[in-house]
Amino acid sequence: MSTRLKSLSSFPQFHMTLKISHIDKVASGLIFLLTAIIFYLTMDFPSGYGATGPAFFPRVIVGLMSVFALAQFVNVIRKDEPRTQEISWSAVKTVGIAATLIVGYLLTMPYLGFLTGTVGFLLVSMHFSGVEEFRTSLPVSIGVAIALYYVFVQFLRVPLPESAMLPVSRVLPGLFVGGVGIA
């Protein structure tokens, strides 16, 4: 090792941490706020047949999340022991990169389409998570994207964005379940 590198490594390292007090109350409040926003966004979902329309499942999940967030908040208030959490810069950076990947995935989906965009997102996410083997990540990405495509488009009948440049879903076969074609 050169003397210059040795002298640089002796400098103190900068470690920034963020200290959050009452972490349980903050988390419960943020989850409750998130559930309120999601519930509001489902207000303009079309009504389905009977009681179970497109908004039913998201509202059930949001309702359960709200109940658990409220239970957590009540539990914290009764304990009266505020917890403090220190969050390191590396954790903030990791969450920031993951959030950037998700936002990038959502913004590019109308152009790349669901299948192409999902394969790309999963490849980059797996690499970020430590999967170095392209032989492993590529087939998993393709398999998960196709499985999700069939679940949403074929079974749930949810239209997903298609790429005008690379219309991959047009070459996928329709599914046959019990002799009945689902297409």
Side-chain angles (χ1 to χ4, degrees):
M1 183 183 278
S2 72
T3 56
R4 181 168 173 84
L5 285 178
K6 285 182 184 177
S7 65
L8 287 176
S9 65
S10 64
F11 280 111
Q13 297 295 318
F14 177 69
H15 296 289
M16 185 178 94
T17 59
L18 175 66
K19 191 179 259 187
I20 301 176
S21 298
H22 303 277
I23 190 78
D24 294 329
K25 292 177 189 172
V26 171
S28 298
L30 288 175
I31 291 172
F32 204 74
L33 178 67
L34 175 70
T35 59
I37 291 169
I38 293 172
F39 189 85
Y40 175 76
L41 292 174
T42 62
M43 297 296 261
D44 61 348
F45 281 15
S47 60
Y49 302 107
T52 58
F56 178 74
F57 184 68
R59 287 185 180 169
V60 167
I61 298 297
V62 162
L64 289 172
M65 287 174 63
S66 297
V67 167
F68 292 132
L70 185 62
Q72 173 70 15
F73 190 76
V74 168
N75 190 23
V76 169
I77 295 292
R78 287 192 329 174
K79 277 185 184 178
D80 198 29
E81 295 176 13
R83 278 189 18 192
T84 301
Q85 182 75 32
E86 286 190 20
I87 301 172
S88 69
W89 172 247
S90 64
V92 171
K93 188 171 80 170
T94 301
V95 170
I97 291 171
T100 303
L101 286 174
I102 292 169
V103 168
Y105 169 62
L106 293 174
L107 291 176
T108 59
M109 191 182 294
Y111 306 105
L112 297 177
F114 176 78
L115 284 171
T116 309
T118 302
V119 168
F121 170 74
L122 290 174
L123 280 172
V124 173
S125 297
M126 282 194 263
H127 179 73
F128 174 69
S129 298
V131 178
E132 298 294 332
E133 291 279 334
F134 193 69
R135 296 184 317 206
T136 303
S137 60
L138 183 63
V140 169
S141 297
I142 292 171
V144 167
I146 290 173
L148 288 172
Y149 174 81
Y150 278 121
V151 166
F152 281 103
V153 173
Q154 298 285 318
F155 291 118
L156 298 176
R157 306 272 186 207
V158 175
L160 295 173
E162 177 72 44
S163 171
M165 299 179 297
L166 191 62
V168 179
S169 65
R170 293 182 190 164
V171 298
L172 293 177
L175 291 181
F176 292 94
V177 177
V180 178
I182 300 175

